[in-house]
Amino acid sequence: GSFTERPIGFVPQSGIPYDPRYLLTGHEDYDGQWHGGFFDKGSFTETLAGWAKSVVVGRARLGGIPMGVIATENRTAEAIKPADPADLSASEAVKQEAGCVWFPNSAYKTAQAINDFRTEDLPLIIFANWRGFSGGQRDMFDEVLKYGALIVDAFVKFQQPVFVYIPPHAEIRGGAWVVLDASINESVMEMYASADNARGGVLEANGAASVKYRTKDMLATMHRLDEKLKSLDAELQARVCDVERQEVKDAIQEREQALLPVYEQISVQFCELHDTPGRMKAVGVIERAVEWETARSYFYWRLRRKLAEFDLRKKVLETYQVGRGDTVISAVEASRLIKSWFLETPGATDALWGDDKAVLSWMAQQNEELEMKIMKLNKENVVQEVFDVMTSGGATATIGTAGIVEGISQALLTLSAEERDNIKEMIKSTLQL
């Protein structure tokens, strides 16, 4: 218990580059003081470390549960292309790759890692801090779009829980926002952000401000809000003489120029308010804001709950695989069904469905009840299938009905005398023969 509840000691600082592995592993400061990370101490193993260094991938444990992890490198990395020994004129090329950006190689590494975790049935957490994809001509030639699309493909196929988390002072922008969007595979993906200082949105604040809040809009805002400009406007209305009007116009322009830098900053700030965790939650793109310090405990319980829920959901989905499998429900609908079962329990509320510990203990207490519900669902689906076959009309119904009777008679031959008698009795009483 206490081991999973421990707070995270390593906290990134704004504007200071750091090793993203510290988020996962924690680290020791200069005084030998240990600051714990997100995962269990000593459990993180990095893979593909020498390749595409602008993204970090590996496996670790959270409260003993194995997970895959992907984190963004926020420092500049070097990509070295060795010289071709067969070409005398060739030389080694060293390319600087900026942090927080997906390049063709790191996008491919990300997609590869997601696919690896899928085949190993590992849940996944992504510590996301991307400003987008690198879109220069060389990157286009190196197929950055294809590798970006591979990330989406990998998410679509994923079947274990995926958490996308924006750590403190990190952001998701541009194309990165698009490929990490939880609606790509809403049955498994959830997005979260650290409270207060994470940011997310397609446009960065200064980009949004320059598009949405141009100079003419700022001038209009000044004339609406600034007392001095308001009085100068009134004065301009009152003046008739051209020379005097020109003087007032010059004064207005001077005031506008003085205010412009301040208003520019305010407009950027205003646009940034749309990218805060509060707004992200309000428009429904994140599940909730999670404090970084308590994220370890939150995600441990969230993961346990999701794994138990997915297990139950799998059983629900399997009940629909009867006969021709005409009636199919999606994973999201199966989750809704489980939620409706939960809400039938006395004292259960919508808000309580969001409480992971409550849902976990409900699943444990109601285990037998839930097994009964699954069996009932199984029976209902078999009934529905037989009914559909026998009422479908035409040759299908005739052949289908004969097939069902034939199937029953063949099955009876494999059973013991006692079981056979029970089934005959059941057929008699149900059909009132």
Side-chain angles (χ1 to χ4, degrees):
S2 60
F3 152 72
T4 52
E5 304 296 327
R6 85 166 158 77
I8 297 173
F10 172 73
V11 183
Q13 301 303 311
S14 174
I16 300 172
Y18 61 93
D19 186 336
R21 294 165 191 81
Y22 290 167
L23 290 173
L24 320 176
T25 61
H27 83 123
E28 215 172 80
D29 63 18
Y30 296 121
D31 308 328
Q33 192 79 28
W34 178 256
H35 301 280
F38 181 82
F39 290 111
D40 303 352
K41 190 174 177 181
S43 73
F44 174 68
T45 309
E46 190 174 348
T47 50
L48 310 172
W51 170 51
K53 294 191 172 87
S54 56
V55 64
V56 175
V57 306
R59 291 159 185 75
R61 288 177 187 274
L62 175 61
I65 306 171
M67 290 190 89
V69 58
I70 297 173
T72 317
E73 176 59 84
N74 58 76
R75 303 165 299 175
T76 301
E78 274 187 352
I80 298 173
K81 231 182 187 168
D84 181 355
D87 180 0
L88 294 175
S89 62
S91 60
E92 180 179 275
V94 178
K95 191 173 134 202
Q96 298 293 324
E97 293 182 336
C100 304
V101 177
W102 259 315
F103 291 88
N105 59 359
S106 52
Y108 189 29
K109 176 175 171 178
T110 306
Q112 175 103 42
I114 298 169
N115 281 324
D116 287 348
F117 300 145
R118 188 189 86 240
T119 53
E120 293 168 33
D121 254 353
L122 285 177
L124 165 64
I125 187 162
I126 298 172
F127 292 97
N129 184 10
W130 281 284
R131 294 179 58 198
F133 287 90
S134 183
Q137 192 174 8
R138 181 198 284 184
D139 301 304
M140 289 299 186
F141 262 75
D142 287 341
E143 306 176 66
V144 70
L145 291 174
K146 181 175 90 175
Y147 296 126
L150 283 182
I151 297 174
V152 178
D153 292 342
F155 278 137
V156 170
K157 291 188 220 142
F158 215 83
Q159 292 178 341
Q160 290 285 2
V162 179
F163 303 128
V164 179
Y165 181 70
I166 313 176
H169 306 292
E171 56 182 356
I172 307 183
R173 303 283 184 189
W177 180 262
V178 179
V179 300
L180 292 171
D181 187 351
S183 59
I184 288 169
N185 185 348
E186 58 179 340
S187 63
V188 303
M189 290 175 78
E190 292 183 333
M191 193 187 273
Y192 296 87
S194 63
D196 306 331
N197 45 30
R199 294 288 178 266
V202 175
L203 283 177
E204 295 189 18
N206 42 17
S210 62
V211 174
K212 291 282 194 184
Y213 224 120
R214 294 170 188 265
T215 311
K216 65 174 176 28
D217 300 315
M218 277 190 244
L219 295 178
T221 311
M222 284 175 204
H223 284 269
R224 194 178 81 236
L225 299 177
D226 186 61
E227 293 302 330
K228 193 168 176 187
L229 277 176
K230 280 200 252 183
S231 66
L232 284 169
D233 285 343
E235 202 176 321
L236 186 62
Q237 292 288 314
R239 297 292 161 99
V240 224
C241 163
D242 281 353
V243 179
E244 288 178 345
R245 279 180 73 85
Q246 194 54 49
E247 273 176 17
V248 178
K249 279 181 181 167
D250 290 347
I252 288 175
Q253 200 176 359
E254 197 179 315
R255 179 68 178 164
E256 286 174 347
Q257 290 308 313
L259 288 177
L260 209 54
V262 182
Y263 273 70
E264 270 169 3
Q265 281 177 316
I266 295 170
S267 72
V268 171
Q269 199 61 42
F270 182 66
C271 287
E272 180 149 313
L273 289 174
H274 291 81
D275 303 334
T276 56
R279 283 306 300 154
M280 288 194 265
K281 171 81 181 85
V283 296
V285 290
I286 63 171
E287 296 292 317
R288 56 176 284 180
V290 176
E291 289 284 355
W292 171 239
E293 198 182 323
T294 56
R296 179 177 155 82
S297 158
Y298 176 80
F299 283 111
Y300 168 72
W301 288 105
R302 187 74 185 161
L303 179 60
R304 276 193 52 185
R305 176 256 172 91
K306 281 286 160 194
L307 290 171
E309 194 185 314
F310 279 27
D311 209 32
L312 184 58
R313 186 166 82 181
K314 197 172 169 190
K315 289 178 187 168
V316 170
L317 291 169
E318 278 167 2
T319 66
Y320 284 87
Q321 292 165 357
V322 194
R324 298 163 304 166
D326 284 348
T327 39
V328 210
I329 63 165
S330 69
V332 177
E333 287 165 334
S335 280
R336 278 197 209 111
L337 179 65
I338 296 170
K339 183 179 176 179
S340 72
W341 291 347
F342 175 74
L343 293 175
E344 285 166 15
T345 317
T349 59
D350 246 348
L352 213 54
W353 178 248
D355 179 339
D356 300 319
K357 290 182 189 175
V359 175
L360 261 174
S361 66
W362 169 76
M363 283 186 194
Q365 285 160 6
Q366 302 279 328
N367 191 20
E368 286 178 18
E369 180 80 7
L370 290 170
E371 289 295 333
M372 293 293 290
K373 281 188 188 295
I374 298 280
M375 282 160 73
K376 188 176 160 211
L377 202 57
N378 222 334
K379 182 180 156 187
E380 283 168 10
N381 287 329
V382 173
V383 170
Q384 191 60 45
E385 179 68 17
V386 173
F387 180 82
D388 289 348
V389 168
M390 293 179 72
T391 57
S392 54
T396 317
T398 319
I399 297 165
T401 307
I404 289 166
V405 175
E406 177 75 16
I408 293 172
S409 69
Q410 283 183 14
L412 285 175
L413 298 175
T414 65
L415 302 175
S416 69
E418 193 185 338
E419 287 173 320
R420 219 175 304 173
D421 291 340
N422 285 344
I423 289 176
K424 284 178 183 167
E425 198 48 54
M426 191 157 80
I427 293 173
K428 257 188 201 157
S429 64
T430 311
L431 301 181
Q432 294 168 348
L433 297 173

